[in-house]
Amino acid sequence: MSEARSRLLDTATGLFYAEGLHAVGVERVISEAKVTRATLYRHFPGKNDLLVAYLKQADEAVRGQVDAARTPTSPPDDIIRVVTRSIADDIQREGFRGCAFLNAAAEFPDPTHPVHQAVLDHRQWFLTTMTELFTATGKPDADPAARHFVMLRDGAMAAGCLTDPKPICETFLRGVEGLLGYRSRQGADG
C-alpha cells in the first residue's frame, strides 16, 4: 500500500468511525489527509470505494483478533473466551462508538449497496467463524449458539457506546459463559 493510500485510508477511518459515513465528505478526507483530489481518486474511484475500503480494513482487524485467539493448544471454549474478551476490551477503549459494521448498515440500509454488501460479507464470515468454533467444542446446537453469540456481541456493542461500558462488558462476558455452560449441561442431559 502506498504511503498516500495508507494516509487516506487512516484519515477516512478515523473520520468515518467518529462522525459517520454520510457526515464526512471526500473534501474533508482530502484536506485532513493532506493529499490532492487526484490522489484520492487514483486510489479510490469514488466515495463508495473509500467506504468499502474502510470496512474491509475493519474486517481485517477483526479477523486478526480472531486469528490471534486461535492457538493450536487452546481448547475451542477458551478461544471463544479470548474472542469475547477482545470484543469487551474494544468496547471499553477510549472513543468507542459502536460497531463499525452495524453503524454502516444503519446508514446504508439498501442491501444491494456496496457498503451494505461489505457489512453482510463481514457478518457472514463472523457468524461462520463462530459456528466453526462452537462446533469444535463438540457440544450440541452449534448453529444456534453461534447466532446467540453474535446477538450478544451486537447488543454489547450497541449498549457499550450509550452508557458505562464496564457493566455492559461484564454482562456480555457472563452471557457467553452462560452460553458455554448451558451447552455443556445440554450435552450431559442428552
Side-chain angles (χ1 to χ4, degrees):
M1 183 182 307
S2 75
E3 190 272 329
R5 185 181 193 285
S6 178
R7 193 168 63 241
L8 276 164
L9 192 51
D10 289 347
T11 301
T13 293
L15 292 170
F16 291 152
Y17 185 73
E19 299 178 24
L21 307 185
H22 285 303
V24 176
V26 292
E27 291 301 324
R28 176 117 179 261
V29 174
I30 289 168
S31 172
E32 294 203 17
K34 297 178 180 23
V35 298
T36 65
R37 176 180 286 281
T39 299
L40 171 81
Y41 289 116
R42 181 172 52 251
H43 294 287
F44 305 100
K47 183 178 179 184
N48 287 340
D49 300 292
L50 182 58
L51 293 170
V52 169
Y54 153 67
L55 291 171
K56 284 187 188 258
Q57 183 170 277
D59 173 73
E60 289 168 7
V62 174
R63 287 174 190 250
Q65 289 175 326
V66 172
D67 288 345
R70 288 180 159 163
T71 64
T73 59
S74 294
D77 281 28
D78 288 348
I79 296 170
I80 292 167
R81 287 182 180 101
V82 171
V83 170
T84 304
R85 171 49 56 198
S86 176
I87 293 166
D89 290 346
D90 192 42
I91 291 168
Q92 294 181 80
R93 75 176 159 72
E94 186 69 32
F96 180 74
R97 244 194 102 245
C99 173
F101 300 97
L102 294 175
N103 293 345
E107 288 196 55
F108 290 88
D110 176 0
T112 65
H113 194 281
V115 168
H116 197 94
Q117 285 294 309
V119 169
L120 294 177
D121 289 346
H122 168 76
R123 290 184 62 79
Q124 185 57 56
W125 166 81
F126 190 71
L127 178 59
T128 299
T129 298
M130 295 314 300
T131 302
E132 290 168 0
L133 288 172
F134 278 103
T135 298
T137 67
K139 298 171 191 167
D141 298 328
D143 291 334
R147 289 192 304 274
H148 193 154
F149 180 93
V150 172
M151 285 180 19
L152 286 170
R153 176 214 166 267
D154 288 350
M157 289 216 139
C161 66
L162 298 174
T163 186
D164 180 4
K166 188 172 176 15
I168 301 299
C169 291
E170 290 168 359
T171 302
F172 174 51
L173 294 167
R174 267 195 313 271
V176 172
E177 281 303 320
L179 181 60
L180 291 169
Y182 170 78
R183 294 181 66 242
S184 293
R185 283 192 305 281
Q186 289 293 94
D189 295 341

